[in-house]
Every structure is written in structure tokens, then in C-alpha cells.
Amino acid sequence: MLQQYGFTQRVSAHFTNHFPGTDLIPARVIRVDRGRIRLAAEHGILIVAAHRGATTGDWVAVDLSEPEHPVVVGVMPRLTVVQRRKAYDPIAEPQVLAANVDIVGIVVPIDRPISANRLDRTLVAARDSGATPLVILTKADLSNRFDSVVAETVERAGSVAVVTTSAETGDGLDELLTRAKPGQTMVLLGPSGAGKSSLANALVGRAVQNIGAVRAVDGRGKHTTTARELIPLPGGVVLMDTPGLRGFALWEAEDGLDASFEDVENLFVGCRFADCQHGPEPGCAVQEALAGGTLDQRRWLSYQKMERELASLRRRQTPTRNRARGLNSHQRAREEVQSKDYRNRFRQP
């Protein structure tokens, strides 16, 4: 049972290192509902009381000293984590969307206009997670804009692989499955109505997730998936279906931003001045790239917007974190000098 949900030698060693010399058993969180969580353990499915901080995909330690009342006593450190900032709460703890996944499948439906901003943001978060990002185009059988949508998506994805699929006809499913190895977990992230649940059903080969209609007027769908859930696939791959995402506010994703926009950041070293603000200064490599057409204006604006968002988040978090860490004014000043000054790099003229 546990192997069906991604239990590998790597996970086994990770568990042993974190919980050495105990009678605790490993289990994986399949689904989290209000007040309880569903676990996959060696001998079957367990339903236990919710454990603070445990989310779908987590590996946990379970105490079975009372077999009729299993208890989660600890959560293993996550190998990867996909997260975003909670809506309307910019300095709270992040919302974890998926834990211990190997591939982040960013689902983009072809039957509606592409949200370039959403794609860019999800790519940044996926790269920052430690997992491998993969763009999955869905509903290829419903679109008459196939070539243009694929071309635009490939351009925005950069070095990230893009797979085109149709749950209705089965096109692209075999290629998608080759992207993951037995024991790996792939999470599907995308807006409501993007076809995540239909794709999950097609990959499993039977209806395991409910699907709903999509409104023709705006291409939006209902939240037919209400909770994140792990689904074993034939061949040993584990799929995580998720509810639709209305937005994607970034959370501490500087590394992901750097990786997603490496081409942009490489331009900075070509600027004449080290403190170039990439505006009207002479010798600005960014402005030269924009004028020469080697850097797309939309891509540059997207990068600036996300960088400012992350810088603003850092500024709002700093006072709270300093108080929590007990730093005095001299210690705070020293850290500010040692840290990278993002505000000066991207201040608008």
C-alpha cells in the first residue's frame, strides 16, 4: 500500500534519520479534511485526528501502540514544498499547496486566453519549490487556436518542458506519464475548469474525480475538486489533484524568480553602472534589449512586478521577524548592510 503512494528507499532513509530507534511507522497524508486526515500506511488506509501543520503529501510518523487509536506524532521535514502567500494576509504564514512532490504540473487550458501573469507566477513558485516544473496544456481537442497558444506558452515557459494533452482523445497522456518515474509524485496546479480532474481521470483510466461544466461566457469552472488528494497511477507514479487557484501571490520565492528570469538578470551585468535602475540611465543593457527586441516588454514588466511584490513582502516581514528573533537596532542595521539591496535595483525613476 505505502509503495503505491511514493514510499521509496530515499523516503525510508529520510524517515529513519528523523525518527531513529522508535516503534513509529511511516505514513503519507493522502487527504486533509476538517478535523481529520487520511493516511496511507503499510497495511492500509488510516483515518486519524488532524495534526497541526500536516498537509497533503507530507510524510508523517504514526504511533500505533493503541491500534484502534492511531496518532500522528510528527511530520518529516519536507523534501520539496510548493507554497503561495495567503490571500489578504501578506505577512502571515504561507499556504502550502503541495509537499514532497517531484514534478509541478502547471495546467494551462488551451480553450481560453492564456493568463501570462498566472503562468509566470506559477512557474516562479514551481522553480522555487525544489521540484521540476512542467507545463501541461489541456483541452487540445477543443481549441482552434492550438498553434498560437502552444507557441506563446513555449515562449513564456523558457527552458521548462511543455506537454500538450487531451483527456477526451488521450493525446499526450503517454508523453506526460514518461515525465515521471515510478515512486515520484506529480501535482497538478491550475485555475478552476482547466481540466485537472478530467486529466486525472484519464491518467488513472477511470472516474476517480468529479468534473463539472465550464461556463462558455468566461471559461470559468466550478470547484469540483474541494481538497488536495493523492491518487496512485498505474506504473507507480502518484498524482496530486488540487482545487482551482483563483490567484497566485508569491511567498519568499526569490530563488524561483532568479531561475525563471535568468535571461533578464543576466542583462544586469551588462549595464554601465553597477547601481543602474534600468530606467533612463545611459548604458542600460535592459533598455537596449527592450529597444532591440531581444527582451519582451511584457516579460520585463512581469519580472518587475513580481520583484517589487517580493521586496514589499520582505519589508513588511522584517519588523515582525526582528522582534521574534530579539534583534536590536545595531544587529538589524548590520543585517541590512549584508543583505542584497533589492529596492535600489528596481526603483522606478
Side-chain angles (χ1 to χ4, degrees), residues 121-138:
R121 287 172 172 273
T122 315
L123 280 167
V124 168
R127 287 180 180 274
D128 198 69
S129 71
T132 300
L134 173 68
V135 178
I136 305 172
L137 293 170
T138 59

Side-chain angles (χ1 to χ4, degrees), residues 160-172:
V160 175
V162 178
V163 178
T164 303
T165 67
S166 168
E168 182 68 24
T169 65
D171 290 345

Side-chain angles (χ1 to χ4, degrees), residues 83-106:
Q83 57 190 356
R84 67 173 178 175
R85 192 183 73 209
K86 289 183 178 179
Y88 312 114
D89 199 359
I91 60 174
E93 290 299 313
Q95 179 188 14
V96 177
L97 301 176
N100 299 309
V101 297
D102 301 280
I103 299 171
V104 179
I106 303 167

Side-chain angles (χ1 to χ4, degrees), residues 1-15:
M1 168 64 75
L2 200 52
Q3 282 70 26
Q4 295 177 357
Y5 287 92
F7 190 71
T8 61
Q9 290 184 347
R10 179 191 184 198
V11 176
S12 178
H14 191 47
F15 182 86

Side-chain angles (χ1 to χ4, degrees), residues 9-343:
Q9 290 184 347
R10 179 191 184 198
V11 176
S12 178
H14 191 47
F15 182 86
T16 301
N17 289 336
H18 197 64
F19 298 102
T22 69
D23 293 329
L24 303 175
I25 66 166
R28 194 173 196 189
V29 180
I30 298 175
R31 179 183 171 114
V32 178
D33 292 304
R34 185 173 298 179
R36 64 180 186 175
I37 57 179
R38 183 182 295 267
L39 304 174
E42 183 178 357
H43 300 297
I45 301 297
L46 302 175
I47 299 177
V48 304
H51 183 83
R52 179 180 174 85
T55 193
T56 304
D58 272 328
W59 292 100
V60 299
V62 179
D63 184 353
L64 279 181
S65 57
E66 297 184 26
E68 295 183 358
H69 301 284
V71 178
V72 173
V73 298
V75 180
M76 289 170 53
R78 291 163 179 155
L79 300 171
T80 63
V81 59
V82 183
Q83 57 190 356
R84 67 173 178 175
R85 192 183 73 209
K86 289 183 178 179
Y88 312 114
D89 199 359
I91 60 174
E93 290 299 313
Q95 179 188 14
V96 177
L97 301 176
N100 299 309
V101 297
D102 301 280
I103 299 171
V104 179
I106 303 167
V107 180
V108 179
I110 305 181
D111 65 338
R112 68 186 76 170
I114 288 180
S115 172
N117 178 61
R118 179 195 296 272
L119 178 57
D120 286 346
R121 287 172 172 273
T122 315
L123 280 167
V124 168
R127 287 180 180 274
D128 198 69
S129 71
T132 300
L134 173 68
V135 178
I136 305 172
L137 293 170
T138 59
K139 305 186 179 183
D141 57 297
L142 298 179
S143 177
N144 56 8
R145 304 170 52 244
F146 182 89
D147 291 339
S148 61
V149 173
V150 172
E152 181 182 352
T153 304
V154 169
E155 180 181 0
R156 299 201 74 89
S159 61
V160 175
V162 178
V163 178
T164 303
T165 67
S166 168
E168 182 68 24
T169 65
D171 290 345
L173 298 187
D174 289 341
E175 181 184 356
L176 178 58
L177 286 173
T178 63
R179 299 287 175 172
K181 300 176 181 178
Q184 290 189 325
T185 301
M186 177 190 298
V187 63
L188 302 179
L189 297 180
S192 297
K196 299 186 298 298
S197 295
S198 296
L199 185 60
N201 289 340
L203 290 170
V204 175
R206 57 188 174 87
V208 293
Q209 296 292 79
N210 294 327
I211 58 175
V214 176
R215 294 195 305 239
V217 64
D218 57 8
R220 292 184 178 179
K222 295 180 180 180
H223 290 285
T224 53
T225 301
T226 58
R228 300 169 189 87
E229 185 171 1
L230 294 183
I231 306 167
L233 298 182
V237 176
V238 185
L239 191 70
M240 185 188 298
D241 195 9
T242 64
L245 300 175
R246 288 190 175 90
F248 211 111
L250 298 177
W251 177 270
E252 298 184 353
E254 285 82 4
D255 290 343
L257 185 67
D258 293 346
S260 293
F261 288 85
E262 184 177 8
D263 59 323
V264 174
E265 298 211 342
N266 284 341
L267 292 172
F268 300 157
V269 298
C271 293
R272 180 183 302 179
F273 303 108
D275 60 348
C276 183
Q277 299 174 18
H278 313 302
E281 299 94 334
C284 174
V286 172
Q287 294 302 320
E288 291 175 0
L290 289 170
T294 57
L295 175 61
D296 181 68
Q297 181 72 23
R298 286 193 308 174
R299 182 166 176 78
W300 171 237
L301 293 176
S302 178
Y303 175 83
Q304 286 182 301
K305 183 176 181 179
M306 284 187 279
E307 206 292 322
R308 289 195 297 268
E309 179 180 324
L310 290 172
S312 177
L313 176 63
R314 284 192 298 273
R315 290 196 297 272
R316 286 194 292 267
Q317 288 176 322
T318 298
T320 301
R321 289 185 171 179
N322 285 340
R323 286 194 297 270
R325 295 165 61 197
L327 296 183
N328 59 38
S329 59
H330 297 292
Q331 291 170 322
R332 292 197 299 269
R334 183 168 62 250
E335 285 199 355
E336 288 174 2
V337 169
Q338 293 172 345
S339 66
K340 202 173 184 180
D341 188 358
Y342 287 88
R343 285 172 291 180

